[in-house]
Amino acid sequence: FPYSGGSGTSEDPYRIATAGDVQELASTTSDYDANFVVTADINLGTAGVFTTAVIARDTDTSTTAFNGTRFTGIFDGQGHKISNLTINTTGAGTYYLGLFGNVNECELKNVRLENVSITGGTGSSYIGGLGGHCTSSIISNCSSTGTVAGGNGSYEIGGLVGCNLFGTIRKCYSEATVTGTGSAIALGGLVGYNGGTSTAPVNDCYATGNVSGYSKIGGLVGYNSQGNIRNCYATGNVNGTFHVGG
């Protein structure tokens, strides 16, 4: 059986129980439209330090355009801990970092990330604990703790999601510290950039981590373009130079 069992359907999703299962999913792009459930706590620290996103990674860091396969399936963490994810890429031009690098029209739910450590280099962008770049997707009941950071000139960095376009984030929270050095733009405790249209809401969410950068720095959302934010709050310290808010 692939993974720890299952067939990938909605009735019989693939079962993810170990760090090895996560790595198998990462390398099996043909399954990116399937259904997955996490069935046990997973320590990704045993997999070592990653230099790209784990799942749906960018395969060419020389351009900001995404090169790779987007995740379009359903991933249900079932409340189990996925801990000690470490991504460290200190080179210039690093994009789409997180447990998921780039997702489209997918559903991520009940994913509990603990002690993430994600570090992007100079000019890095689309960085989040759970997802770097999320388009037209539903993210619900997910959380993150740890640190998410970008280098000088980085942008769209969030404790949970770096960039949310046309999607919904509901009943989520982040306790991660979010930092960007130099002229870092659009950093938020939960989401770095939220927008697309007014139908891209953030509902019933909160963030408690400290956030620091240069411009468009928010305790909850760094740069909210057109989306609605309802029933949310942030409690962390927020520091920046321009367009800074709790």
Side-chain angles (χ1 to χ4, degrees):
F1 294 101
Y3 311 105
S4 287
S7 58
T9 65
S10 57
E11 296 81 12
D12 183 31
Y14 289 128
R15 292 185 280 280
I16 304 296
T18 66
D21 288 341
V22 175
Q23 291 176 292
E24 182 177 357
L25 167 56
S27 62
T28 313
T29 58
S30 59
D31 288 341
Y32 279 10
D33 60 350
N35 293 262
F36 296 86
V37 292
V38 179
T39 58
D41 291 349
I42 297 173
N43 178 11
L44 281 181
T46 61
V49 177
F50 296 89
T51 57
T52 66
V54 182
I55 303 164
R57 66 184 183 92
D58 185 23
T59 57
D60 182 0
T61 60
S62 64
T63 173
T64 57
F66 181 73
N67 293 274
T69 304
R70 294 172 175 84
F71 183 83
T72 59
I74 297 175
F75 188 91
D76 184 355
Q78 296 196 129
H80 291 290
K81 292 187 295 183
I82 300 177
S83 60
N84 302 317
L85 165 62
T86 301
I87 301 173
N88 192 339
T89 172
T90 56
T94 52
Y95 314 102
Y96 306 98
L97 301 179
L99 178 63
F100 293 84
N102 198 331
V103 303
N104 183 61
E105 297 183 350
C106 83
E107 185 174 2
L108 307 177
K109 58 185 178 180
N110 308 315
V111 180
R112 181 182 172 190
L113 294 172
E114 291 194 357
N115 194 34
V116 301
S117 177
I118 302 177
T119 306
T122 300
S124 55
S125 60
Y126 313 129
I127 304 173
L130 177 64
H133 196 288
C134 303
T135 305
S136 303
S137 297
I138 298 173
I139 299 172
S140 61
N141 296 307
C142 295
S143 64
S144 64
T145 71
T147 60
V148 182
N152 183 30
S154 57
Y155 56 94
E156 300 188 22
I157 302 173
L160 189 73
V161 172
C163 175
N164 177 49
L165 285 176
F166 307 103
T168 299
I169 299 176
R170 63 189 180 210
K171 296 184 179 179
C172 295
Y173 72 88
S174 177
E175 298 176 356
T177 298
V178 180
T179 59
T181 60
S183 58
I185 298 174
L187 279 70
L190 185 77
V191 182
Y193 173 86
N194 180 70
T197 71
S198 60
T199 59
V202 177
N203 300 323
D204 304 312
C205 296
Y206 70 89
T208 62
N210 298 333
V211 187
S212 61
Y214 179 70
S215 177
K216 299 182 177 68
I217 311 301
L220 187 78
V221 176
Y223 177 24
N224 186 54
S225 176
Q226 295 174 294
N228 298 313
I229 298 176
R230 304 186 182 97
N231 301 319
C232 296
Y233 69 89
T235 63
N237 295 320
V238 184
N239 293 285
T241 304
F242 296 105
H243 308 295
V244 180

